[in-house]
Amino acid sequence: MNDNTMISFENASKSYGALQVLRNLNFHVDPGEKISLIGPSGSGKTTILRILMTLESLTSGYVLVDGQQLWHEEKQGQLVPASEKHLQNVRADIGMVFQHFNLFPHLSVLKNVTEPQRISRGVAAPEAKEAAVELLEMVGLGDKLDHYPGQLSGGQKQRVAIARALALKPRIMLFDEPTSALDPELVSEVLNVMRKLAHETDMTMLLVTHEMSFAREFSDRVIFFDKGVIVEQGAPEQIFQNPCEERTRNFLHKFIA
């Protein structure tokens, strides 16, 4: 493993009873790398993100974030299961944008972005508000500060969710099919924000998506998963123009047929 690796899965497996979702996965991401995870539903892509966010635990193996064990910690020279405090400390550098927004319906747009800063980071109210306003303006919602989620379109809700994740200043951003719950005409406004982040920041970014044209533009590397294993990975041009594996070709044919 490169000492400069930002994310590492080492022989990582995840099972739900008899169903094995990830199979001895070895997977590394460099700092600042933008990666798209593609593949059929149930192939393990979202599970990778949920393990990084500590929403799902490992069955076996290891995950490291910027050189630190995520699900384990060292005590008396041995690796033991991580405490909740350790999980929180390592997870603090990771933000995630979910498929279904997960906004607080009883809070205004502004408070949806300020309150996580205050609760998770202990940021004082004036600084949290200043950061929230700046981020909401960046995602094109500076005129919606006092609106509530129920007053917003799906695309607007997802842009609030992106601003909320960014407010915690993560070094790693995870996107779990952020446009799949949106009407087609609203997809572009969310992709435009993500495009801006990819081009203008040095954040490490992992995207689970079925938007193949965006994955091709967004990614430094595309990884095709099936049945919990990496079938093929490479530069977008190679994966989309000349995939090596028949399974990859069959999957992509559905999107370009």
Side-chain angles (χ1 to χ4, degrees):
M1 183 186 72
N2 185 339
D3 290 338
N4 201 33
T5 300
M6 182 59 76
I7 298 168
S8 297
F9 281 68
E10 306 283 353
N11 298 317
S13 295
K14 175 64 180 178
S15 297
Y16 301 97
L19 176 63
Q20 190 166 18
V21 182
L22 295 178
R23 302 168 184 267
N24 296 317
L25 177 65
N26 288 286
F27 166 59
H28 310 296
V29 183
D30 290 335
E33 196 172 12
K34 297 1 179 209
I35 292 182
S36 288
L37 310 179
I38 65 171
S41 297
S43 59
K45 310 179 300 296
T46 290
T47 301
I48 289 170
L49 305 192
R50 291 180 64 83
I51 286 171
L52 284 167
M53 280 299 292
T54 69
L55 298 171
E56 302 280 358
S57 61
L58 286 171
T59 301
S60 62
Y62 304 94
V63 174
L64 291 88
V65 176
D66 197 17
Q68 292 190 79
Q69 290 281 350
L70 176 60
W71 282 99
H72 298 80
E73 59 183 312
E74 190 170 322
K75 288 189 175 179
Q76 298 178 341
Q78 292 188 324
L79 285 179
V80 299
S83 64
E84 182 59 33
K85 181 179 180 181
H86 178 84
L87 288 173
Q88 290 176 353
N89 288 341
V90 181
R91 186 180 60 208
D93 280 335
I94 306 173
M96 185 164 175
V97 177
F98 296 86
Q99 184 175 349
H100 293 290
F101 326 129
N102 290 4
L103 300 179
F104 294 108
H106 63 290
L107 296 181
S108 68
V109 165
L110 183 62
K111 284 192 173 293
N112 261 284
V113 183
T114 56
E115 290 307 294
Q117 297 178 66
R118 297 181 65 191
I119 294 167
S120 298
R121 299 288 204 207
V123 178
E127 287 82 0
K129 181 178 180 180
E130 182 180 356
V133 170
E134 182 178 336
L135 287 166
L136 286 164
E137 288 177 347
M138 188 269 287
V139 299
L141 294 172
D143 60 341
K144 305 291 185 184
L145 303 183
D146 296 325
H147 286 57
Y148 286 80
Q151 298 172 289
L152 303 179
S153 70
Q156 290 170 333
K157 290 176 187 177
Q158 195 60 291
R159 285 186 281 153
V160 174
I162 292 172
R164 178 184 59 186
L166 291 172
L168 298 179
K169 300 181 179 179
R171 299 171 65 198
I172 300 167
M173 276 285 280
L174 312 176
F175 296 92
D176 184 18
E177 299 198 45
T179 60
S180 64
L182 303 179
D183 292 334
E185 64 268 23
L186 302 177
V187 168
S188 62
E189 64 187 65
V190 175
L191 295 183
N192 284 339
V193 172
M194 295 172 59
R195 188 176 289 113
K196 181 180 177 71
L197 291 175
H199 291 162
E200 297 181 7
T201 76
D202 61 358
M203 281 189 299
T204 305
M205 299 168 72
L206 268 62
L207 167 66
V208 171
T209 187
H210 286 97
E211 298 281 345
M212 296 301 154
S213 60
F214 183 72
R216 185 171 186 165
E217 172 193 352
F218 165 89
S219 310
D220 298 313
R221 180 160 46 119
V222 175
I223 303 177
F224 174 62
F225 281 85
D226 192 24
K227 298 178 181 177
V229 300
I230 295 174
V231 176
E232 185 169 359
Q233 60 182 309
E237 296 78 10
Q238 184 255 307
I239 296 296
F240 290 113
Q241 291 182 5
N242 191 30
C244 298
E245 301 294 330
E246 183 178 1
R247 182 69 188 90
T248 313
R249 290 194 292 272
N250 290 341
F251 175 78
L252 292 174
H253 181 71
K254 298 174 184 177
F255 294 90
I256 60 177

